[in-house]
Amino acid sequence: MAAIAARLITKLVDVQDKHGEATVVLTGGTVGIGTLKAVADSAAAPAVDWSKVNFWWGDERFVAADSEDRNTRQAHQALLAHLAVDPARVHEPGSADDFATADEAAFAYAEELKAAAEAEHAADMSDSRSDEPGLLPRFDVLLLGVGPDAHVASLFPEQAGVREKKRTVVGVENSPKPPSSRISLTLPAINTAQEIWMVVAGEDKAGAVGLALAGANPVQVPASGPVGRARTLWLIDENAASRVPQQLVRKDPAGA
């Protein structure tokens, strides 16, 4: 996790050098939260201007705001509480305290993303900008974990969310993994990211990783769906890589 953290710090510094700010989409789970803690613990962390980093989440559990199940709460404990972040740049999905249903929270999050895209478009004075703002701001790095069932974010095999083509955010009900209500970015939204980093550890994920890298259908294997605009990185340990053909494996000398 320290190697992934070092890579993330370097990437954010590079993006800030180019754009003045950077945007990262966070994920939960053991590896996702462990990576955030490793960032907070890194001696290189001060190289990033954290006040100019925008934080979003790929998914969230639709529970009370103070629930330990919340990815946002875990991220605050692991990373955000230890950095000089700008609260206005921390975009948390709504909780069950704020909305009656996951669908309502998903709609509100989609609107917040759209507003950020419009603000970003208005601030972009380059000749290359499009005439109309999109529905999403620029995502520089989007982190994703993978479940043993090959789900990513809260997009589960065969469920409606992984089939969504138009919306950027969906409410998820009857999740096979508790809690049952969630909100999630869709695959079309995820795939607008410049870089997608799949961070996975553990032998229980090996089958999902192998199927995803073999090009399985995303409806059955959601982990095969994410594709970054610039690149997609699989940052996995040896156990998670145990069912990946060796010709597809490139070991990171830093240990990621």
Side-chain angles (χ1 to χ4, degrees):
M1 295 180 195
I4 301 173
R7 185 189 289 268
L8 180 59
I9 290 168
T10 299
K11 181 62 181 179
L12 293 178
V13 170
D14 290 346
V15 173
Q16 286 186 336
D17 285 345
K18 182 177 181 180
H19 296 290
E21 62 180 30
T23 298
V24 60
V25 181
L26 304 181
T27 187
T30 302
V31 180
I33 299 302
T35 296
L36 299 187
K37 187 177 186 306
V39 170
D41 292 342
S42 173
V48 178
D49 182 350
W50 294 104
S51 70
K52 293 184 179 178
V53 177
N54 306 302
F55 296 93
W56 299 86
W57 276 263
D59 74 319
E60 184 54 284
R61 288 83 178 268
F62 187 64
V63 291
D66 62 354
S67 171
E68 291 294 337
D69 283 336
R70 293 269 293 179
N71 290 332
T72 49
R73 183 175 175 84
Q74 294 174 28
H76 275 279
Q77 293 170 343
L79 177 67
L80 301 179
H82 307 284
L83 304 173
V85 301
D86 179 354
R89 292 178 181 265
V90 179
H91 303 276
E92 296 187 14
S95 72
D97 296 332
D98 306 310
F99 298 95
T101 67
D103 279 340
E104 290 179 11
F107 178 82
Y109 205 50
E111 288 296 296
E112 188 173 358
L113 285 159
K114 182 180 178 183
E118 290 171 349
E120 185 176 277
H121 181 268
D124 182 5
M125 302 304 293
S126 69
D127 294 335
S128 61
R129 79 175 189 182
S130 60
D131 291 335
E132 296 294 332
L135 297 176
L136 296 162
R138 186 189 72 250
F139 294 153
D140 297 303
V141 179
L142 187 148
L143 302 173
L144 285 175
V146 176
D149 63 352
H151 81 268
V152 292
S154 284
L155 304 176
F156 294 91
E158 302 285 358
Q159 289 200 345
V162 77
R163 301 175 187 269
E164 178 63 43
K165 302 296 185 185
K166 295 182 179 180
R167 289 180 292 174
T168 57
V169 189
V170 291
V172 176
E173 299 292 354
N174 301 315
S175 161
K177 180 180 180 181
S180 61
S181 294
R182 299 157 174 255
I183 71 172
S184 180
L185 295 183
T186 61
L187 280 178
I190 288 169
N191 288 345
T192 67
Q194 294 301 305
E195 295 193 7
I196 296 174
W197 296 9
M198 311 291 286
V199 292
V200 194
E203 190 174 357
D204 61 329
K205 315 291 180 61
V209 170
L211 287 170
L213 290 175
N217 188 314
V219 172
Q220 286 79 42
V221 182
S224 69
V227 179
R229 285 182 170 177
R231 64 176 177 170
T232 307
L233 294 178
W234 284 81
L235 303 172
I236 59 182
D237 69 1
E238 290 188 5
N239 290 329
S242 62
R243 299 190 191 179
V244 177
Q246 285 303 305
Q247 63 267 27
L248 296 180
V249 177
R250 186 183 69 182
K251 292 189 177 181
D252 189 322

mmCIF file of all heavy atoms in Angstrom, residues 45 49 84 97 118 146 163 173 187 220 224-225 227:
data_model
loop_
_atom_site.group_PDB
_atom_site.id
_atom_site.type_symbol
_atom_site.label_atom_id
_atom_site.label_comp_id
_atom_site.label_asym_id
_atom_site.label_seq_id
_atom_site.Cartn_x
_atom_site.Cartn_y
_atom_site.Cartn_z
ATOM 1 N N ALA A 45 4.037 13.234 1.566
ATOM 2 C CA ALA A 45 2.699 13.820 1.465
ATOM 3 C C ALA A 45 2.700 15.344 1.354
ATOM 4 O O ALA A 45 1.901 15.918 0.601
ATOM 5 C CB ALA A 45 1.840 13.365 2.642
ATOM 6 N N ASP A 49 -0.120 19.994 -2.703
ATOM 7 C CA ASP A 49 -0.901 21.086 -2.127
ATOM 8 C C ASP A 49 -2.309 20.553 -1.904
ATOM 9 O O ASP A 49 -3.147 20.582 -2.806
ATOM 10 C CB ASP A 49 -0.921 22.297 -3.057
ATOM 11 C CG ASP A 49 -1.679 23.478 -2.459
ATOM 12 O OD1 ASP A 49 -2.355 23.306 -1.415
ATOM 13 O OD2 ASP A 49 -1.627 24.572 -3.045
ATOM 14 N N ALA A 84 -4.383 19.449 5.250
ATOM 15 C CA ALA A 84 -4.974 20.788 5.152
ATOM 16 C C ALA A 84 -5.826 20.870 3.886
ATOM 17 O O ALA A 84 -5.511 21.589 2.939
ATOM 18 C CB ALA A 84 -3.875 21.844 5.143
ATOM 19 N N ASP A 97 -29.447 10.407 6.416
ATOM 20 C CA ASP A 97 -29.935 11.527 7.212
ATOM 21 C C ASP A 97 -30.425 12.670 6.330
ATOM 22 O O ASP A 97 -31.226 13.504 6.772
ATOM 23 C CB ASP A 97 -28.825 12.061 8.123
ATOM 24 C CG ASP A 97 -28.378 11.039 9.153
ATOM 25 O OD1 ASP A 97 -29.194 10.175 9.534
ATOM 26 O OD2 ASP A 97 -27.205 11.098 9.570
ATOM 27 N N GLU A 118 -19.603 22.278 -14.768
ATOM 28 C CA GLU A 118 -19.928 23.587 -15.333
ATOM 29 C C GLU A 118 -18.957 24.652 -14.842
ATOM 30 O O GLU A 118 -18.508 25.508 -15.608
ATOM 31 C CB GLU A 118 -21.369 23.953 -14.983
ATOM 32 C CG GLU A 118 -22.392 23.094 -15.715
ATOM 33 C CD GLU A 118 -23.815 23.299 -15.217
ATOM 34 O OE1 GLU A 118 -23.986 23.949 -14.152
ATOM 35 O OE2 GLU A 118 -24.755 22.819 -15.885
ATOM 36 N N VAL A 146 -11.881 -4.204 -5.986
ATOM 37 C CA VAL A 146 -12.614 -5.275 -6.657
ATOM 38 C C VAL A 146 -13.057 -6.280 -5.599
ATOM 39 O O VAL A 146 -12.244 -6.726 -4.778
ATOM 40 C CB VAL A 146 -11.751 -5.982 -7.720
ATOM 41 C CG1 VAL A 146 -12.505 -7.167 -8.329
ATOM 42 C CG2 VAL A 146 -11.331 -5.009 -8.813
ATOM 43 N N ARG A 163 -25.603 -2.123 -15.783
ATOM 44 C CA ARG A 163 -26.144 -2.023 -17.139
ATOM 45 C C ARG A 163 -26.457 -0.579 -17.550
ATOM 46 O O ARG A 163 -26.771 -0.322 -18.714
ATOM 47 C CB ARG A 163 -27.437 -2.847 -17.250
ATOM 48 C CG ARG A 163 -27.273 -4.326 -16.926
ATOM 49 C CD ARG A 163 -28.623 -5.024 -16.948
ATOM 50 N NE ARG A 163 -28.560 -6.394 -16.482
ATOM 51 C CZ ARG A 163 -28.343 -7.460 -17.277
ATOM 52 N NH1 ARG A 163 -28.188 -7.275 -18.573
ATOM 53 N NH2 ARG A 163 -28.295 -8.675 -16.772
ATOM 54 N N GLU A 173 -30.232 -0.741 -4.762
ATOM 55 C CA GLU A 173 -30.991 -1.412 -3.710
ATOM 56 C C GLU A 173 -30.733 -2.920 -3.795
ATOM 57 O O GLU A 173 -30.327 -3.431 -4.836
ATOM 58 C CB GLU A 173 -32.485 -1.131 -3.855
ATOM 59 C CG GLU A 173 -32.854 0.344 -3.737
ATOM 60 C CD GLU A 173 -32.639 0.918 -2.334
ATOM 61 O OE1 GLU A 173 -32.310 0.148 -1.400
ATOM 62 O OE2 GLU A 173 -32.776 2.144 -2.174
ATOM 63 N N LEU A 187 -20.577 2.875 -14.882
ATOM 64 C CA LEU A 187 -19.395 2.628 -15.711
ATOM 65 C C LEU A 187 -19.123 3.770 -16.698
ATOM 66 O O LEU A 187 -17.950 4.149 -16.870
ATOM 67 C CB LEU A 187 -19.533 1.299 -16.458
ATOM 68 C CG LEU A 187 -19.216 0.033 -15.645
ATOM 69 C CD1 LEU A 187 -19.448 -1.214 -16.492
ATOM 70 C CD2 LEU A 187 -17.779 0.052 -15.124
ATOM 71 N N GLN A 220 -21.538 -9.451 -16.301
ATOM 72 C CA GLN A 220 -21.260 -10.568 -15.406
ATOM 73 C C GLN A 220 -20.032 -10.301 -14.519
ATOM 74 O O GLN A 220 -19.966 -10.787 -13.390
ATOM 75 C CB GLN A 220 -21.026 -11.856 -16.196
ATOM 76 C CG GLN A 220 -22.268 -12.475 -16.799
ATOM 77 C CD GLN A 220 -22.697 -11.778 -18.075
ATOM 78 O OE1 GLN A 220 -21.864 -11.433 -18.921
ATOM 79 N NE2 GLN A 220 -24.002 -11.565 -18.242
ATOM 80 N N SER A 224 -14.258 -5.910 -15.269
ATOM 81 C CA SER A 224 -13.693 -5.828 -16.616
ATOM 82 C C SER A 224 -14.116 -4.549 -17.332
ATOM 83 O O SER A 224 -13.585 -4.237 -18.404
ATOM 84 C CB SER A 224 -14.113 -7.040 -17.453
ATOM 85 O OG SER A 224 -15.498 -6.991 -17.741
ATOM 86 N N GLY A 225 -15.047 -3.799 -16.750
ATOM 87 C CA GLY A 225 -15.600 -2.628 -17.420
ATOM 88 C C GLY A 225 -14.795 -1.351 -17.351
ATOM 89 O O GLY A 225 -14.771 -0.575 -18.310
ATOM 90 N N VAL A 227 -12.196 1.422 -17.878
ATOM 91 C CA VAL A 227 -11.105 1.684 -18.815
ATOM 92 C C VAL A 227 -10.822 3.184 -18.776
ATOM 93 O O VAL A 227 -11.660 3.989 -19.181
ATOM 94 C CB VAL A 227 -11.451 1.255 -20.253
ATOM 95 C CG1 VAL A 227 -10.284 1.568 -21.190
ATOM 96 C CG2 VAL A 227 -11.810 -0.220 -20.319
#
